[in-house]
Amino acid sequence: KISWMILVSGSTRSWKTTLAYAWLKEFDPFMLKIMTVEDPVEKVLYWVIHIQIDETAPDPEKRFTFDKASRTLMRQTPDVVFFWEMRDKQTINKAIEIAETWHLVLATTHATDISWTPTRLNTAWADIKKIAWVSKLFVAQRLLTRTCPHCRIQSSPSKAVLETLQKEFWHLWSEIKSLQEKKQFWVFAKWKWCWECRWLWELWRIAITELFELDDTFSSMISEWASKVELEIYLNTLRKWWKFLNMADDAVLKYLQWFITEDEMRKIV
């Protein structure tokens, strides 16, 4: 039994729920009992117990709220619980209560990055000290357009781009130089007509992600009501020692590895 809470944050249509479901698929259903509380149930997994929330019923007595769903699933002794969209104080406190009683809780929330996640929960009047205690992992992601492998071509980056990478992302410069020496990733994608992707030169979306396992310093900063700026300064300090990579770093690395174009990279960098 573990007492953790993992928060996945991002904007609308950033595949937060898709990432959570991908994690649920990694658990052994023969060893763990998995339950979800959603409104609505977006994907059905046959080895997962899904609970549908209905807060719009005309009769108030027939409304199945997050509070009732939480009491229902606690009677069934789950090991892993997925909470869909923690938006209000009631849902957040119920997720914290379940995480405190030796359960692994996966939850999603709307926040732009990791440093904004505690502030976003604090604006919902949640117990920030309990969040700092039960939270183990913060994940934030957004989607960018992935280039088509059939129509992407080699091109050299401009001098301005190299200067920007060397100045703003000097902690990644050793990785950039190693990619350049290998001569297999030092290529960049530009627009080109293609029949394979039907002239859209894009086939998929790719996730730009930042992931941080909370340490004692970060947890204490959250419990002491640290602002977004203070949390961001601490995370930037960890970036210098390769202990944390934010979404801008991930976007640069995916740009160097030919997954996204320079225009897509500039949406984050």
Side-chain angles (χ1 to χ4, degrees):
K1 287 284 189 177
I2 54 178
S3 180
W4 286 356
M5 184 166 66
I6 300 176
L7 287 176
V8 182
S9 60
S11 59
T12 305
R13 296 180 180 178
S14 60
W15 288 1
K16 301 184 296 295
T17 307
T18 303
L19 177 61
Y21 268 94
W23 282 345
L24 293 180
K25 292 180 180 179
E26 297 298 322
F27 295 114
D28 187 358
F30 297 100
M31 299 295 295
L32 298 174
K33 189 174 184 178
I34 307 171
M35 301 183 67
T36 67
V37 182
E38 302 174 78
D39 182 22
V41 176
E42 298 185 11
K43 297 180 181 180
V44 177
L45 303 178
Y46 66 89
W47 64 88
V48 174
I49 301 175
H50 298 279
I51 299 178
Q52 171 72 47
I53 300 299
D54 184 11
E55 296 180 331
T56 60
D59 188 358
E61 296 182 357
K62 295 182 179 180
R63 293 176 183 173
F64 194 63
T65 62
F66 274 97
D67 189 17
K68 294 181 180 179
S70 300
R71 292 196 297 266
T72 300
L73 66 88
M74 287 297 288
R75 297 191 193 101
Q76 302 184 40
T77 62
D79 297 297
V80 181
V81 179
F82 168 59
F83 267 91
W84 175 87
E85 294 293 347
M86 296 201 306
R87 296 180 178 178
D88 52 9
K89 178 181 178 180
Q90 179 184 7
T91 308
I92 298 173
N93 290 335
K94 283 298 179 181
I96 295 174
E97 180 183 345
I98 294 175
E100 287 178 329
T101 54
W102 300 101
H103 299 85
L104 174 60
V105 176
L106 300 178
T108 62
T109 184
H110 284 282
T112 55
D113 53 19
I114 289 178
S115 60
W116 181 251
T117 300
T119 307
R120 173 67 179 86
L121 298 177
N122 188 23
T123 55
W125 300 99
D127 193 339
I128 199 67
K129 293 184 180 295
K130 288 186 177 180
I131 292 176
W133 182 71
V134 301
S135 298
K136 182 66 175 179
L137 188 69
F138 282 173
V139 182
Q141 73 174 20
R142 62 175 296 182
L143 299 181
L144 294 180
T145 302
R146 183 172 183 172
T147 56
C148 173
H150 301 283
C151 63
R152 57 189 181 186
I153 59 176
Q154 296 184 7
S155 65
S156 300
S158 61
K159 184 178 180 181
V161 172
L162 291 177
E163 291 178 354
T164 302
L165 294 179
Q166 188 173 9
K167 181 180 179 180
E168 302 293 336
F169 299 90
W170 58 269
H171 57 289
L172 298 178
W173 192 247
S174 59
E175 183 73 14
I176 295 174
K177 296 297 290 184
S178 65
L179 293 175
Q180 185 180 15
E181 293 173 356
K182 293 178 182 178
K183 296 181 180 180
Q184 56 181 341
F185 293 115
W186 194 249
V187 286
F188 299 85
K190 281 188 173 182
W191 175 85
K192 179 184 176 183
W193 294 107
C194 175
W195 285 98
E196 295 291 336
C197 59
R198 299 182 181 180
W199 295 352
L200 295 176
W201 68 274
E202 57 189 36
L203 287 180
W204 308 280
R205 300 285 181 178
I206 189 170
I208 306 299
T209 309
E210 61 183 23
L211 182 147
F212 182 64
E213 184 177 355
L214 275 68
D215 54 11
D216 296 336
T217 303
F218 195 81
S219 298
S220 62
M221 291 177 67
I222 295 176
S223 61
E224 294 173 1
W225 302 77
S227 63
K228 179 184 183 301
V229 177
E230 294 173 337
L231 295 175
E232 193 170 358
I233 292 174
Y234 175 71
L235 293 177
N236 286 332
T237 304
L238 297 180
R239 287 178 61 200
K240 301 178 182 180
W241 305 102
W242 274 81
K243 295 182 179 180
F244 172 70
L245 295 179
N246 60 10
M247 281 192 282
D249 298 327
D250 193 22
V252 169
L253 292 176
K254 285 185 169 60
Y255 169 59
L256 295 174
Q257 296 174 357
W258 207 6
F259 289 128
I260 60 176
T261 62
E262 180 181 338
D263 295 335
E264 291 292 311
M265 180 190 67
R266 291 183 181 275
K267 292 181 180 179
I268 295 181
V269 177

